[in-house]
């Protein structure tokens, strides 16, 4: 048996030499961003990678500092009409009520159980937080992971009738792969629950759990009835990883400023500002949902319908123009949106 | 110029083949743990690595799951007579008082300024926390990093008259390198401040900032007078990364259970329990400070003097025996303790 070994440097150099001899021609033929149309957005990405990864470039970034952060909802996958994690929480309400039958007569659980979508959509934030607390805390970390795993492998989006995990954007998956192939460490930085996204991030995006930064709740260490150590999820918010919470979460979890950041809503603005405030070449981009036919259209109120799920205000659009943050038009910049499209 | 590239799989496989042909003989000659005496501790490490990294082994661990966590103070470097970070905080008191002269007459600052070591050593925890809050918070993250950097490159340990960073244990540095060469991702999991340790962890241990888990305080995102984004360190404790806080911090920051964990005090017990509670081969080890001549001797009260800095109780020793956690005797298991020793 050959034990797993990291390649020492000389072998790596030999490997590169072999690669250059055998595969350079074929390599040059393949466009790592083949689902992107040629245009300003694609050029900005390619130019940024060239500027930060070419030895001798004045804006070269050492591999250890190549950090790229991605919002998830609306940036890496579909978030309309409602965030997948909220759908999970709503789906879990019957289970919670079964364990505590007295909740059936109490709001907001009563409304959720009624199945009245319009009424559910109108629930105020305060009620939504009660549902989140009831469905995301109180169990062990292992139990939670198992529940999310089961759900994410079966629950389907109402429009496409496909698993939520099939609704990731192919051009963004290509971008993740392209950055990683260029030595970047890719992170998800989401307003969603850190523990929730970690369940599928490696399989779906190639991003391991330790590279997921999200809204974080505390856990309590203890022992089960057999004396086995357990971690229980508590309704104690440590960090709301949205808006100003995104740079705060990045500092907490990574401890380095990103070199590139990607978002799609006002909740991502501070992450983009923080990224761009570093020295040298930096890339900050926003995905604009302007394709009602292939996905959804919402955004700057003067041009597209307003939304509370992934709000992209006119002010954010103006800021992007002013700061030079390229805006990605799903309609014009993306040849294909989903891998399942023909 | 050749841009930095990650090796695609075929090149890596070729690289391994080349390595096996050219270097296998030389490789086998070098003991990666040459500062360790042969004995139970060293054997436990080598056997664990073999069991978890040999393809086909029933306890094989896939590379992505190879997580090893290390306490810092007393496990990776000297923590007596006092933790380096506390020395930093005490050294910073004059600067804090200069900015706020009214503190000079207030305890505990008055005692610290007096320079009376005995009185300083007797300050109660409550006073120590006041000093920590005054010296570790209120500044921007960048300012803090610059201050720690300056201090760590100049402050010296009173006994050895050497930089604190020279007082890391050579056998543990070898262990970090050996585990990394075996595909393990090494993390520091310290009761010390996460932001403090991150300043030097990469240079001193080869552990990047994103792999440092420590006691965590919140930051607040804002803007300086020129409108540039800043993060300010707040006196708001998010997690005390000691005792039960260690597995909680590991879950928060890594999201995976370690396969191996190393500590030296009661504050590490829960981390070791949590690690061992996973399936398959797991390694949990404790460093025992039993070498008064070459370092210090403190530990289980029945055998060694008690201490409040890195407490190793008899109960912990008994637990280690019961659970099969190998105890590393600095006196018997380590040939050399420091790299500077001849």
């Amino acid at each position: 048996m050959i034990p797993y070994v990291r390649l020492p440097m000389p072998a790596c150099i030999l490997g590169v030499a072999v690669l250059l001899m055998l595969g350079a021609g074929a390599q040059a033929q393949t466009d790592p961003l083949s689902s992107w149309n040629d245009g300003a957005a694609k050029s900005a990405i390619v130019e940024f990678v060239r500027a930060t990864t070419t030895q001798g470039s004045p804006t070269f970034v050492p591999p250890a500092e190549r950090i790229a952060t991605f919002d998830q909802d609306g940036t890496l996958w579909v978030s309309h009409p409602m965030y997948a994690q909220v759908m999970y929480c709503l789906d879990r309400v019957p289970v919670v009520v079964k364990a505590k039958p007295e909740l059936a007569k109490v709001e907001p659980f009563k409304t959720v159980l009624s199945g009245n979508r319009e009424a559910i959509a109108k629930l105020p934030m305060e009620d939504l937080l009660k549902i989140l607390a009831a469905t995301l805390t109180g169990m062990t970390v292992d139990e939670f992971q198992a529940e999310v795993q089961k759900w994410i492998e079966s629950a389907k989006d109402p429009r496409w009738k496909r698993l939520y995990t099939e609704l990731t954007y192919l051009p963004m998956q290509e971008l993740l792969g392209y950055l990683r192939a260029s030595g970047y460490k890719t992170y998800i930085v989401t307003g969603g629950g850190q523990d929730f996204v970690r369940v599928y991030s490696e399989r779906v995006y190639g991003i391991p759990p330790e590279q997921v930064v999200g809204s974080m709740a505390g856990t309590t260490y203890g022992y089960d009835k057999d004396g086995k150590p357990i971690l229980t999820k508590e309704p104690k918010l440590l960090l709301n990883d949205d808006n100003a919470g995104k740079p705060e979460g990045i500092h907490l979890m990574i401890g380095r400023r990103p070199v590139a950041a990607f978002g799609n809503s006002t909740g991502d603005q501070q992450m983009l500002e923080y990224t761009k405030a570093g020295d040298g070449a930096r890339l900050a981009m926003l995905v604009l949902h302007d394709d009602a036919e292939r996905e959804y259209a919402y955004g700057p109120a003067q041009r597209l319908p307003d939304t509370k799920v992934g709000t992209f205000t006119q002010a954010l659009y103006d800021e992007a123009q002013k700061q030079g943050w390229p805006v990605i038009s799903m309609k014009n910049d993306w040849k294909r949106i989903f891998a399942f499209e023909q």
Side-chain angles (χ1 to χ4, degrees), chain A:
Chain A
M1 311 280 173
I2 302 169
Y4 173 88
V5 286
R6 283 267 176 96
L7 291 182
M9 191 50 76
C12 279
I13 290 168
L14 283 165
V16 170
V18 170
L19 170 70
L20 290 175
M21 287 184 292
L22 299 180
Q27 194 78 356
Q29 308 285 320
T30 321
D31 178 1
L33 300 175
S34 61
S35 298
W36 293 71
N37 286 314
D38 290 329
K42 183 173 178 175
S43 298
I45 295 166
V46 173
E47 172 49 28
F48 165 80
V49 168
R50 193 204 57 73
T52 57
T53 63
T54 306
Q55 283 279 3
S57 156
T59 51
F60 178 78
V61 177
E65 292 169 25
R66 293 184 196 160
I67 303 286
T69 56
F70 290 79
D71 169 61
Q72 184 192 219
D73 294 304
T75 299
L76 293 178
W77 74 355
V78 173
S79 67
H80 268 223
M82 186 37 79
Y83 304 115
Q85 188 178 355
V86 173
M87 299 306 290
Y88 170 79
C89 292
L90 295 174
D91 283 357
R92 289 293 296 166
V93 165
V95 183
V96 169
V97 172
K98 203 175 169 188
K100 288 187 188 174
E102 67 274 19
L103 290 178
K105 291 172 191 167
V106 182
E107 289 299 355
F109 304 97
K110 200 174 150 187
T111 296
V112 175
L113 291 172
S114 75
N116 180 339
R117 285 190 184 201
E118 238 172 274
I120 295 169
K122 279 184 192 158
L123 286 173
M125 183 51 73
E126 198 191 331
D127 277 349
L128 213 56
L129 290 177
K130 278 184 201 164
I131 295 167
L132 265 57
T135 54
L136 300 176
T137 68
M139 69 293 286
T140 70
V141 160
D142 289 348
E143 286 163 358
F144 178 73
Q145 285 169 348
E147 285 303 334
V148 175
Q149 184 82 45
K150 211 164 63 183
W151 185 85
I152 203 83
E153 285 174 1
S154 58
K156 291 190 173 175
D157 170 87
R159 173 168 161 191
W160 281 278
K161 320 276 184 235
R162 287 179 179 270
L163 298 177
Y164 289 98
T165 52
E166 290 181 83
L167 300 180
T168 64
Y169 305 132
L170 181 61
M172 295 306 282
Q173 292 274 20
E174 289 175 356
L175 177 55
L176 286 169
Y178 177 50
L179 287 174
R180 287 197 289 260
S182 306
Y184 275 87
K185 214 163 162 178
T186 53
Y187 282 80
I188 288 174
V189 177
T190 174
Q194 185 166 284
D195 282 351
F196 184 87
V197 178
R198 279 172 165 176
V199 173
Y200 57 82
S201 61
E202 185 141 37
R203 178 173 61 83
V204 174
Y205 301 113
I207 294 178
E210 60 268 30
Q211 286 165 227
V212 174
V213 180
S215 290
M216 309 163 200
T219 57
T220 299
Y221 182 78
Y223 306 89
D224 69 10
K225 57 180 171 41
D226 302 320
K228 204 181 160 181
I230 48 171
L231 286 167
T232 304
K233 287 173 67 65
E234 301 292 343
K236 181 197 165 192
L237 188 69
L238 294 181
L239 186 111
N240 181 4
D241 195 52
D242 208 10
N243 302 297
K246 289 209 172 189
E248 292 164 8
I250 288 169
H251 175 71
L252 182 72
M253 299 288 292
I254 313 177
R256 301 189 201 254
R257 193 192 298 262
V259 187
F262 304 86
N264 78 303
S265 77
T266 52
D268 301 312
Q269 181 166 347
Q270 289 87 346
M271 173 169 75
L272 270 57
E273 283 172 0
Y274 178 63
T275 300
K276 289 288 281 189
D279 297 329
R282 305 270 159 167
L283 183 62
M285 298 183 84
L286 286 163
V287 174
L288 179 67
H289 295 256
D290 58 358
D291 193 330
E293 199 178 316
R294 293 190 299 170
E295 202 240 14
Y296 292 99
Y298 53 90
Q302 290 170 27
R303 312 165 5 132
L304 293 164
D306 199 7
T307 175
K308 283 187 180 174
V309 176
T311 308
F312 192 136
T313 59
Q314 187 63 41
L316 177 64
Y317 192 85
D318 295 343
E319 186 70 12
Q321 297 294 317
K322 190 177 140 197
Q323 301 294 341
W325 302 342
V327 172
I328 300 162
S329 159
M330 293 180 76
K331 190 169 180 173
N332 302 320
D333 287 316
W334 289 356
K335 255 180 227 162
R336 280 168 76 188
I337 292 186
F338 303 112
F340 59 77
E341 280 170 22
Q342 290 314 311

